[in-house]
Amino acid sequence: MLQTISKKIDFLTWEEERRWRCSVHGVMNNFINDIFEKLAQEAACLARYNKKPTISSLEIQTAVRLVLSGELAEHVISEGTNVVIKFTIS
């Protein structure tokens, strides 16, 4: 009897944790999608303003500086530059 109750409690806590993780995952996914959408919109506006048919890395960097705040923007630009370098080398 005691083992059955213990297994039920373990299952309930596992279910609650799973629901919580799914909820957190959804919130983070929406946050990342919103940031991506804002950056893409700003980069598209900059390309349109400069009468360019495509979005280049310069428009993306400028959009990051405009949308994100100081140190975060610098970190994002630095990491993005490193990724592009690694991609072009391979």
Side-chain angles (χ1 to χ4, degrees), residues 8-26:
K8 269 189 175 180
I9 290 172
D10 287 343
F11 179 75
L12 287 176
T13 56
W14 180 82
E15 275 294 313
E16 290 170 356
E17 184 177 336
R18 189 181 66 79
R19 270 188 256 132
W20 181 79
R21 285 183 186 207
C22 288
S23 174
V24 170
H25 180 73

Side-chain angles (χ1 to χ4, degrees), residues 1 31 65:
M1 176 83 171
F31 175 73
R65 284 191 178 103

Side-chain angles (χ1 to χ4, degrees), residues 41-56:
Q41 273 183 332
E42 191 64 41
C45 288
L46 289 166
R48 207 173 312 119
Y49 179 79
N50 292 324
K51 297 182 175 113
K52 288 183 163 183
T54 57
I55 296 172
S56 69

